[in-house]
Amino acid sequence: MKKMKGVRNLKRVIYKGRATKFRGFIALMTVVGLISSLGYFLYYAYNGYAAAKADVVLNYPEIAQSRRPDGSRFTYYDLISDENIAAALDIMNSNDKYKNFTVSDLRNSFDISSYLENSAGDTVSTVRSEGNDFSYVANEYRITFTQPHDYKNKNFIRKFIGKDYSRDFLRALLEVNRVRLAEEQGGIDGFKNLTEIKGADNYDYSEKLRVYRTKIKTIALYLDYLNRRSPDFVSFDNYTLKDLQGKYEFLISNRIDGISDFIKSSGISKDVDQASNKLNVNIENYSLRCNKHSDRSQINQFAMTNYDQTFTENLINVIQNKTYGLYQARPKTAFDTVVDQKHNADTNLAEYSAMVSQFQTELQTYAAVEQTPDETGRLNEKCEELIDEFEDEYKELTRTARVVVEEYFNSVNEEYLTANISRMNLITPSLLVRLGLVFALGAVLAFIAAVFISSVSDSRKLRRKKKLIDDIKETTVREEA
């Protein structure tokens, strides 16, 4: 009985020791897990406390083909290109922010991805699974920016914990992108290039006016195109695109036509001999064209008179009709072709003949007008004065037009890029999951380390006990001997 009780006491002691040891393991695992989670959280907070995200939407038709408004290729990495980052940095520096950062410091601080709504993604997957060739270009993107540490800051604390300007920088970056989409690639710079006149000072008076006439007609057509796109547009100065178009057209009728008539009637030129030679060359070239089309007209006239009008080309056109099946369509007759050729030849002949007559008239003007050197100088001076006045009016009108067109594109294109910028929450579900994984990993490693250390300790204790028993046995044997 006493023996059974002793055994139970021994077991109780063993179980109690094991339970105490197990509780120690649990406590150690919990402590190590908490320390690991806390360490990871501090590391995460240190590197990601200043972060922001922007949900960007591009709203213009060309994005459906992955193109910019001007038709050039677009990839969403263009939003965070070095050029755009540098321009955004300039904006931040002007506000006394990010003074110590360079493009290389910020280049790797972005994470950008495109995303589809679930319904759109399901639709694309369904259509493709049915064997259809279907593509979808996403126009929604997410940009995440994590502000790096400013280790160049003279303030010791700001080296490690700086002010959070991540949202300001994202706002500046997206404004740079919006301006480039709306202005450089959306039409504003194109209109500036359209209205520029370069290299016209070396032309003769009549040639210079011809350049301006062509340029102004092109501008008027472009303004008419913009007006048809947005007929209700009115600028802050109460200009409409139709008003500008009318002013440009009035320059032709009120200024260019009058100066051109003055030049023609007076036979004015910077160099009369050179102008006469140019006219002679033009007369010769256009006369050759007239002769060429005159011959074509005569040949086709002969064919129309002598050929059988019912003669057909050796063609068989088989056409499928849903009602009658296959049938032979009426072939085109050779006479129809001859008539078309005759008409085109007569049209070109009339056009080139008119040009020859115009050049001959101008040449006769230079030959008929006899002027003294003083009279020639006076007329040239008067002509240059009229042209200078016209150019001043053109430049003034063009300055106004550029402002109005820029305002137009800013109003029309302001929705090209929209974005919702928000601060990244430090505590997120994904962070909690990662903290849990770090806790579990730390606890497991602590358990493994504790078991290993406990095993090594038990092995040492067992060896010492075994050695002690062997010593006792050896002593006992010696005493008995």
Side-chain angles (χ1 to χ4, degrees):
M1 195 71 176
K2 289 182 180 180
K3 186 177 181 180
M4 291 294 295
K5 188 175 181 181
V7 172
R8 284 197 299 270
N9 290 335
L10 180 61
K11 288 182 177 180
R12 188 179 300 110
V13 170
I14 293 173
Y15 289 151
K16 186 176 180 180
R18 289 180 177 178
T20 302
K21 193 173 184 180
F22 180 74
R23 285 196 296 269
F25 280 177
I26 295 296
L28 178 64
M29 291 169 62
T30 302
V31 171
V32 173
L34 289 175
I35 292 175
S36 300
S37 297
L38 179 61
Y40 178 80
F41 176 78
L42 293 176
Y43 170 80
Y44 177 83
Y46 174 72
N47 289 285
Y49 76 96
K53 66 177 180 178
D55 294 325
V56 183
V57 181
L58 298 181
N59 300 304
Y60 56 88
E62 291 80 6
I63 190 60
Q65 287 82 38
S66 290
R67 298 190 180 277
R68 301 185 182 93
D70 61 356
S72 57
R73 189 69 179 170
F74 170 81
T75 63
Y76 58 74
Y77 288 104
D78 294 336
L79 297 172
I80 54 173
S81 65
D82 286 355
E83 187 178 5
N84 289 340
I85 293 174
L89 264 179
D90 291 338
I91 296 175
M92 295 293 286
N93 291 340
S94 65
N95 294 321
D96 202 28
K97 300 173 183 177
Y98 283 10
K99 287 284 189 178
N100 298 321
F101 287 133
T102 63
V103 174
S104 59
D105 295 330
L106 302 179
R107 184 183 295 125
N108 298 321
S109 300
F110 294 93
D111 179 51
I112 183 170
S113 60
S114 64
Y115 62 91
L116 288 171
E117 292 293 337
N118 293 332
S119 58
D122 293 341
T123 301
V124 173
S125 299
T126 302
V127 173
R128 286 177 175 172
S129 66
E130 294 173 353
N132 296 315
D133 184 10
F134 184 84
S135 60
Y136 180 89
V137 178
N139 67 326
E140 300 181 15
Y141 310 98
R142 175 164 293 166
I143 302 175
T144 302
F145 170 68
T146 303
Q147 177 178 293
H149 293 283
D150 186 6
Y151 294 118
K152 299 176 184 178
N153 200 311
K154 296 179 180 180
N155 187 320
F156 181 78
I157 296 178
R158 294 303 182 193
K159 288 178 181 289
F160 306 99
I161 305 176
K163 292 184 179 180
D164 183 4
Y165 294 128
S166 57
R167 283 174 291 178
D168 296 335
F169 181 75
L170 271 184
R171 196 172 292 111
L173 179 64
L174 293 175
E175 179 61 19
V176 169
N177 278 279
R178 190 199 68 79
V179 170
R180 288 192 170 163
L181 282 174
E183 296 185 8
E184 297 178 14
Q185 299 151 3
I188 295 177
D189 285 353
F191 182 76
K192 292 178 181 177
N193 295 331
L194 176 64
T195 55
E196 287 183 357
I197 303 288
K198 296 180 179 179
D201 292 336
N202 298 324
Y203 293 163
D204 202 356
Y205 302 131
S206 58
E207 294 173 336
K208 189 173 187 179
L209 291 177
R210 197 175 297 121
V211 170
Y212 271 104
R213 187 189 299 273
T214 303
K215 178 71 70 172
I216 290 174
K217 286 182 177 179
T218 305
I219 293 172
L221 289 174
Y222 183 69
L223 291 173
D224 181 64
Y225 163 73
L226 296 183
N227 181 66
R228 283 186 276 108
R229 286 179 59 188
S230 300
D232 298 331
F233 170 77
V234 180
S235 71
F236 290 121
D237 295 330
N238 292 324
Y239 277 107
T240 66
L241 296 172
K242 203 67 177 177
D243 294 337
L244 295 176
Q245 180 185 352
K247 288 180 178 293
Y248 274 109
E249 292 174 345
F250 185 70
L251 275 181
I252 294 178
S253 60
N254 184 55
R255 280 290 187 176
I256 293 182
D257 289 346
I259 299 174
S260 297
D261 292 341
F262 174 67
I263 292 173
K264 291 178 182 179
S265 62
S266 303
I268 301 174
S269 174
K270 292 181 178 179
D271 189 333
V272 175
D273 292 336
Q274 185 179 12
S276 299
N277 291 334
K278 287 182 180 179
L279 289 173
N280 284 321
V281 171
N282 287 331
I283 290 172
E284 183 178 353
N285 290 335
Y286 280 92
S287 295
L288 289 174
R289 296 181 185 181
C290 285
N291 294 334
K292 178 180 177 180
H293 288 284
S294 177
D295 291 341
R296 286 185 178 180
S297 177
Q298 292 176 10
I299 292 172
N300 284 281
Q301 180 64 46
F302 177 83
M304 290 171 60
T305 304
N306 294 280
Y307 283 4
D308 182 3
Q309 298 185 12
T310 61
F311 178 78
T312 60
E313 295 179 359
N314 189 20
L315 294 175
I316 298 177
N317 298 327
V318 179
I319 298 177
Q320 184 176 6
N321 183 278
K322 292 182 179 180
T323 305
Y324 302 106
L326 296 175
Y327 72 96
Q328 180 176 332
R330 176 181 178 275
K332 180 181 180 181
T333 64
F335 185 80
D336 296 336
T337 303
V338 172
V339 171
D340 288 340
Q341 293 176 170
K342 174 69 166 59
H343 173 72
N344 292 333
D346 288 341
T347 301
N348 292 328
L349 178 60
E351 180 181 349
Y352 295 139
S353 297
M355 295 295 294
V356 170
S357 298
Q358 178 182 344
F359 292 140
Q360 288 175 342
T361 301
E362 294 180 10
L363 185 61
Q364 291 172 1
T365 302
Y366 288 125
V369 176
E370 295 183 1
Q371 300 166 349
T372 63
D374 292 340
E375 181 67 10
T376 300
R378 187 187 67 81
L379 291 174
N380 286 354
E381 184 177 348
K382 179 63 176 178
C383 182
E384 290 178 358
E385 181 182 347
L386 292 174
I387 292 178
D388 288 342
E389 291 177 357
F390 158 74
E391 287 183 322
D392 289 340
E393 290 186 25
Y394 175 83
K395 291 176 181 177
E396 181 63 29
L397 176 58
T398 298
R399 277 194 291 268
T400 302
R402 287 177 177 177
V403 172
V404 173
V405 170
E406 182 175 356
E407 185 180 333
Y408 164 83
F409 275 109
N410 283 331
S411 65
V412 172
N413 302 344
E414 63 183 355
E415 298 299 326
Y416 271 9
L417 186 150
T418 58
N420 179 30
I421 300 174
S422 58
R423 183 178 180 180
M424 293 287 291
N425 293 325
L426 193 61
I427 307 299
T428 61
S430 62
L431 175 63
L432 296 178
V433 171
R434 279 178 284 173
L435 289 176
L437 293 175
V438 171
F439 176 88
L441 180 62
V444 169
L445 292 177
F447 176 77
I448 294 173
V451 169
F452 176 76
I453 293 172
S454 177
S455 299
V456 171
S457 177
D458 290 344
S459 298
R460 289 178 178 177
K461 290 179 180 179
L462 184 60
R463 284 196 297 272
R464 286 198 298 269
K465 289 180 180 179
K466 186 177 180 181
K467 184 178 180 181
L468 180 61
I469 292 173
D470 291 340
D471 292 341
I472 293 173
K473 287 182 178 180
E474 185 177 352
T475 303
T476 304
V477 169
R478 244 194 264 108
E479 290 177 353
E480 289 179 352

